[in-house]
């Protein structure tokens, strides 16, 4: 998959008309994700009813890949349990870093439109940031960063 | 959609034969995603022509040994080639003496050398260092480290919206505590050419030495350190057709002699006992350990190559590239050029409305066009001009007018994808 096919209709559409974009009046969990190397940031708020994510919203400043990833993520995890969301987070990260066998069983569904980022090392972080931030929110860490120690993509982006 | 009319391109005098020049750069024949490579990331690092590659091969296949102490043929040859390269660099920047030319690993290393060798010795508590908003992080961070260590203060020359230094403000920053000025000759992010000669004269009238970061100037224009009268001038080999791992610090001999060494080790000493070490004379005092000999020889070949074309011819051709690209870009809707100084090198930083630089960079790459996106190691500039990041196309003398066309067409494609 090449970089052009990454910018597919569905990704461009979610970038232009992001779903669940905005803030929540009442949120039980909240986190802000940063990519300090490009200045992008993402704010994710969600409300848990028992173990269920019953509402979720995001906003922020980011590239199309990040925004579309966040938008599609919110549509997919809404109504799912915390545990299911964590499974998706892990699978998405594995897909983006090339560690997931897409032919084996997984739960990503149409999120596989992002599989192409694994061939674009500098863009992997863009796709992962929303998922990283969701993970932080679910675990009630209020700020996170793509440069966090536990980030598999922890590495400096050079710039000259 | 506007069709690009090639008859609108500026016509060149036959003396600048860009096609003949391009033929000497093997990497320019690459194809990316089955499109011809359009390399517009020259401000980050330039490409290497065959004569420089050949020189590295010749050195490595018939001249290499460690330098200075050997009495055998290869050591003498390597030493002679290394020192010959120093003299080539001396001529390239018109330094008075070859001992004023120190081999470093690059601009960053050169600036750190001045910070440690000069700054730590002569700048103290309450003293002031003047830098500019346009500085690359490499000419900010070392001075912040020094300021923190010594209790000194950094004062910053502001810029206007075009990305030009406010020279009046610069002059008003001087006090009787001003001990040092650091200024970049050409901005890597915006291409602004700064009036360094005038700024140096002003500082000297107050007895203050000036370091010029020439990383983006040395590859693109004639640099004469005696004419500028700068005290230090730093630049990198890899931005001027040379190898990575090599750079230059020019310093006036009388200053270099008064400075303390930066790194301790072999070659920078005359004698060592555990009681006392006597330092070698300049430039060796600042070249501890085995230096990057092959890269130094390669850089000598690179400046021969550039001089063969002529720095004035390079500057004139690159200005035509800049003017043509700027004109083409101004015709694009929803595109804003960041950095519109009256005096510029061939650097175009820009924003496309509604499209993040990362997306532009990835999509241009798919068209074979290599640009850089991000903050370009100048976060204070980005903050001042209120742009989180830009896309930057930076040109070299081996770029062509049709590459400008390919670049502009690439931006149109990006805009089409995002509408
Ligand atoms: C203006 C300027 N100064 C300093 C540097 C640092 O050069 P180097 O990374 O070769 O040490 C660069 C290059 O990135 C630059 O553009």
């Amino acid at each position: 998959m090449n970089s052009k096919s990454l910018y597919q209709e569905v990704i461009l559409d979610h970038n232009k008309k992001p779903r669940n974009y905005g803030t929540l009046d009442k949120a039980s969990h909240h986190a802000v994700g940063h990519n300090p190397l490009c200045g992008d940031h993402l704010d994710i708020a969600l409300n848990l009813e028992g173990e269920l994510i019953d509402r979720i919203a995001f906003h922020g400043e980011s590239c199309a890949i990040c925004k579309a990833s966040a938008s599609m993520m919110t549509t997919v995890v809404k109504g799912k349990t915390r545990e299911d969301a964590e499974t998706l987070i892990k699978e998405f990260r594995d897909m983006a870093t090339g560690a997931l066998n897409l032919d084996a069983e997984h739960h990503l569904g149409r999120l596989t439109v992002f599989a192409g980022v694994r061939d674009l090392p500098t863009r992997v972080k863009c796709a992962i940031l929303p998922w990283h931030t969701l993970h932080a929110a679910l675990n009630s860490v209020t700020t996170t960063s793509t440069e966090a120690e536990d980030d598999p993509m922890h590495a400096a982006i050079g710039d000259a | 959609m506007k069709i690009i009319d090639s008859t609108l391109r500026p016509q060149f005098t036959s003396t600048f034969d860009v096609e003949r020049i391009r033929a000497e750069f093997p990497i320019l024949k690459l194809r990316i995603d089955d499109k011809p490579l359009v390399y517009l990331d020259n401000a980050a690092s330039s490409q290497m022509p065959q004569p420089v590659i050949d020189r590295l091969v010749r050195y490595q296949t018939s001249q290499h040994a460690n330098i200075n102490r050997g009495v055998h043929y290869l050591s003498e040859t390597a030493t002679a080639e290394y020192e010959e390269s120093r003299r080539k660099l001396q001529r390239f920047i018109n330094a008075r003496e070859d001992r004023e030319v120190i081999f470093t690993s690059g601009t960053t290393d050169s600036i750190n050398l001045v910070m440690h060798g000069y700054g730590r010795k002569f700048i103290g508590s309450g003293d002031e260092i003047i830098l500019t908003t346009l500085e690359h992080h490499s000419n900010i961070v070392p001075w912040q480290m020094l300021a923190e260590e010594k209790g000194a203060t950094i004062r910053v020359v502001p810029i206007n919206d075009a990305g030009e230094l406010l020279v009046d403000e610069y002059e008003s920053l001087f006090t009787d505590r001003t001990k040092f000025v650091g200024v970049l000759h050409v901005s890597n992010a915006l291409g602004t050419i700064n009036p360094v000669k005038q700024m140096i004269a002003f500082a000297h009238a107050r007895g203050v030495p000036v370091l010029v970061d020439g990383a983006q100037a040395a590859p693109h224009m004639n640099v004469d350190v005696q004419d500028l009268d700068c005290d230090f001038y730093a630049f990198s080999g890899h931005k001027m057709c040379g190898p990575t791992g090599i750079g230059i610090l020019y310093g006036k001999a009388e200053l270099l002699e008064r400075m303390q060494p930066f790194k301790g080790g072999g070659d920078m000493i005359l004698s060592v006992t555990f009681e006392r070490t006597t330092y070698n004379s300049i430039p060796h005092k600042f070249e501890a350990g085995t230096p990057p000999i092959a890269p130094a020889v390669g850089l000598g070949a690179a400046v021969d190559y550039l001089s063969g074309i002529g720095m004035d011819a390079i500057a004139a051709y690159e200005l035509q590239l800049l003017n043509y690209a700027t004109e083409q870009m101004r015709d694009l809707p929803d595109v804003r050029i960041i950095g519109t100084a009256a005096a510029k090198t061939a650097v175009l930083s820009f924003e496309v409305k509604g499209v993040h630089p990362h997306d532009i960079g990835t999509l241009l790459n798919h068209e074979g066009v290599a640009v850089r996106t991000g903050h370009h190691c100048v976060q204070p500039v980005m903050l001042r001009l209120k742009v989180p990041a830009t896309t930057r196309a930076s040109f070299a003398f081996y770029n062509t007018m049709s590459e400008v066309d390919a670049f502009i067409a690439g931006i149109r494609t990006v805009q089409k994808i995002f509408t």
Side-chain angles (χ1 to χ4, degrees), chain B residues 135-273:
Chain B
E135 295 319 298
H136 186 276
H137 294 166
S138 63
N139 202 22
I140 299 175
V141 183
W143 302 110
Q144 281 175 330
M145 292 163 83
L146 180 75
E148 192 162 319
E149 176 188 321
K150 298 287 188 178
T153 312
I154 291 171
R155 313 199 64 184
V156 185
V157 185
I159 56 173
N160 61 20
D161 291 339
E164 295 167 309
L165 291 180
L166 300 176
V167 178
D168 289 350
E169 304 268 346
Y170 160 73
E171 296 182 353
S172 70
L173 287 179
F174 279 80
T175 70
D176 54 5
R177 298 310 304 263
T178 306
K179 288 288 158 62
F180 199 80
V181 172
V183 55
L184 87 179
H185 198 167
V186 169
S187 159
N188 59 305
L190 308 179
T192 314
I193 303 173
N194 293 318
V196 287
K197 186 174 174 181
Q198 176 191 345
M199 293 169 76
I200 292 163
F202 188 89
H204 284 177
R206 281 144 196 87
V208 177
V210 180
L211 164 98
V212 179
D213 171 354
Q216 299 294 343
H220 302 289
M221 62 183 67
N222 215 339
V223 171
D224 181 333
V225 292
Q226 290 190 65
D227 178 56
L228 290 176
D229 197 29
C230 53
D231 301 278
F232 302 102
Y233 198 93
F235 55 103
S236 298
H238 69 94
K239 295 184 195 286
M240 47 198 295
C241 302
T244 53
I246 189 75
I248 297 293
L249 175 68
Y250 158 81
K252 283 181 179 166
E254 66 268 26
L255 277 171
L256 293 175
E257 272 165 353
R258 284 164 52 213
M259 282 158 61
Q260 61 191 20
F262 172 25
K263 297 168 186 162
D267 281 329
M268 53 78 71
I269 47 83
L270 283 181
S271 71
V272 175
T273 66

Side-chain angles (χ1 to χ4, degrees), chain B residues 48 51-67 73-74 77-78 81-82 243-244 290-299 301:
Chain B
M48 189 182 281
V52 179
I53 298 170
D54 290 345
R55 184 66 191 89
L56 290 172
V57 171
R58 182 157 71 88
Y59 172 79
Q60 219 65 69
T61 49
S62 64
Q63 297 179 316
H64 174 68
N66 209 334
I67 56 169
Y73 167 79
L74 281 179
T77 306
E81 295 300 334
Y82 181 72
T244 53
T290 301
I293 309 166
V297 171
L299 180 55

Side-chain angles (χ1 to χ4, degrees), chain B residues 7-182:
Chain B
T7 60
L8 292 178
R9 289 183 205 152
Q11 299 299 307
F12 294 104
T13 51
S14 55
T15 50
F16 203 88
D17 187 349
V18 68
E19 289 307 328
R20 191 186 53 81
I21 287 168
R22 287 179 71 77
E24 293 184 300
F25 286 78
I27 207 166
L28 298 180
K29 297 181 182 74
L30 278 186
R31 297 180 72 83
I32 310 294
D33 272 357
D34 212 36
K35 301 261 171 60
L37 166 68
V38 175
Y39 187 75
L40 303 181
D41 195 17
N42 293 287
S45 203
S46 57
Q47 300 299 347
M48 189 182 281
Q50 195 64 50
V52 179
I53 298 170
D54 290 345
R55 184 66 191 89
L56 290 172
V57 171
R58 182 157 71 88
Y59 172 79
Q60 219 65 69
T61 49
S62 64
Q63 297 179 316
H64 174 68
N66 209 334
I67 56 169
N68 292 338
R69 292 164 309 276
V71 292
H72 56 82
Y73 167 79
L74 281 179
S75 179
E76 282 172 355
T77 306
T79 306
E81 295 300 334
Y82 181 72
E83 291 304 328
E84 176 57 23
S85 181
R86 194 192 304 280
R87 286 188 290 277
K88 287 177 181 183
L89 269 300
Q90 176 204 345
R91 288 192 292 274
F92 187 70
I93 56 170
N94 193 33
R96 207 171 280 112
E97 305 173 64
D98 61 356
R99 64 192 184 114
E100 297 181 313
V101 175
I102 299 161
F103 284 117
T104 65
S105 71
T107 307
T108 304
D109 192 34
S110 298
I111 295 170
N112 277 277
L113 192 165
V114 177
M115 186 278 266
H116 284 273
Y118 184 90
R120 294 182 84 185
K121 189 164 177 187
F122 297 111
I123 296 171
S125 173
D127 287 344
E128 294 171 0
I129 300 161
I130 295 178
L131 303 174
T132 84
T133 305
L134 291 174
E135 295 319 298
H136 186 276
H137 294 166
S138 63
N139 202 22
I140 299 175
V141 183
W143 302 110
Q144 281 175 330
M145 292 163 83
L146 180 75
E148 192 162 319
E149 176 188 321
K150 298 287 188 178
T153 312
I154 291 171
R155 313 199 64 184
V156 185
V157 185
I159 56 173
N160 61 20
D161 291 339
E164 295 167 309
L165 291 180
L166 300 176
V167 178
D168 289 350
E169 304 268 346
Y170 160 73
E171 296 182 353
S172 70
L173 287 179
F174 279 80
T175 70
D176 54 5
R177 298 310 304 263
T178 306
K179 288 288 158 62
F180 199 80
V181 172

